[in-house]
Amino acid sequence: MKSPIRPRLPRLLVAAAVGLAVGLAGTPAAQAQQKLKVGLMLPYTGTFAALGVAIENGFRLAVAENGGRLGGREVEYFKVDDESDPAKATDNANRLIKRDQVDVLVGTVHSGVAMGLAKAAKDNNVLLVVPNAGAGAVTGPMCGPNIYRSSFSNWQPGYAMGEVMAKRGHKNVVTITWKYAAGDESVGGFREAFEKGGGKIVKELNLPFPNVEFQALLTEIASLKPDAVYTFFAGGGAVKFVKDYDAAGLRKTIPLYGAGFLTDGTLEAQGASAEGLLTTLHYADGLDNPKEKAFRGAYQKAYPSALPPDVYAVQGYDAGQMLAIGLAATKGDASKHAEFQAALLKATIDSPRGKFTLSKSGNPVQDMYLREVKGKENRVVGIASKALSDPSRGCKM
Ligand code: PHB
């Protein structure tokens, strides 16, 4: 059942001994009896803590709806808090891969951590589904038959918003974000479409992740007087940025736009300072499709004291759905990457975001919605980009 490439001699010897004894080991029947070990590597502390919880909730819901099984095997969970700390990514990934000997990895939120995780998954030939982090490298140069994403690439919402803001007639824009892969790539996608539409970025402002000392940068925005601002922030940082932008009195004069993480899972805390904000994302509240309705009901029933489901919960749920599809095709064998890939690449995933497919690089091809904050919800205004596919630059498959 385990990939022969992975150094798991003691377990293999034990399995062989048991096999000799009962004459069953290695057969599909024996495999179905063994639990499928799923390693969740997510942030449970820090600015992205709420995101990690929502992803885990969504994932567990999908597995529960599948009878607690993936590919016919009962699921057993192993968890690591990655703290959104890239410096600890390799060690944390190896806790799951080497110590816990998981069959499947699900993680993570932060792009820098995801790159370390994806490298560990590649080096050890373990199946990985990324339920958030948009790092282009994961489904670019690091793509492979064991690497998938249930979320988005950082480029996607940025590109969609570049088109929207150019069409809305904005010419001179300031961008502001954290200085790391996700911020850089979100602004990169935005720049590509915005410049194509005739706009210009007059200044890119940055601060280190996960700093939230925005005051000096807000003063700079006020003095630059751009037509508008494009931003990527998420989690706790997004809550504070939206409140600070409003408190600085900028909203009335310089409209604020963002990748949808700016207002997803954050509206309870942002309150009135988020009202009316326009963002682009592959999910919105109350989309008109049957899966969304069923998902919201089931989520709230399963987690009555949690926040309402958000994009992160959906991405966790869809990571579970993707694994259910792929592992059904391999009859629960997580080392059969070619068969897993063949099943996923021809699948249409019935997601609360709307149905989506996967590109050859394993990234969702999906609609990017333009959303507007109304009360505590991100309501759909329209589709900013239909079936948008990440260019997956550098993926050779
Ligand atoms: C990322 O680091 O890729 C990232 C983090 C949080 C988000 C979106 C992207 O909400």
Side-chain angles (χ1 to χ4, degrees), residues 48 51 84 108-114 130 132-136 149 151-154 157 178 180-183 185-186 209 232-235 259-262 264 281 311-312 315:
F48 292 157
L51 287 57
S84 295
T108 185
V109 169
H110 182 287
S111 273
V113 181
V130 178
N132 184 68
R149 188 150 44 203
S151 51
F152 60 94
S153 75
N154 293 317
W178 282 312
Y180 81 113
E185 292 172 9
S186 182
F209 176 88
F232 166 86
F233 288 111
F261 315 106
L262 188 68
D264 226 270
L281 204 64
V311 70
Y312 308 104
Q315 293 168 171

Side-chain angles (χ1 to χ4, degrees), residues 51-125:
L51 287 57
V53 171
I55 288 168
E56 179 175 347
N57 286 349
F59 186 84
R60 283 181 183 266
L61 178 61
V63 172
E65 288 179 357
N66 212 42
R69 291 172 181 266
L70 291 171
R73 292 168 67 185
E74 194 183 325
V75 171
E76 182 179 10
Y77 291 101
F78 294 81
K79 282 169 65 165
V80 166
D81 175 9
D82 68 33
E83 302 167 49
S84 295
D85 185 350
K88 296 181 184 161
T90 306
D91 283 349
N92 281 330
N94 281 329
R95 285 200 175 100
L96 294 169
I97 295 170
K98 303 229 158 82
R99 182 193 65 191
D100 301 332
Q101 308 232 320
V102 299
D103 300 293
V104 177
L105 289 161
V106 176
T108 185
V109 169
H110 182 287
S111 273
V113 181
M115 287 193 266
L117 174 61
K119 180 166 187 322
K122 276 193 101 60
D123 290 351
N124 293 281
N125 210 26

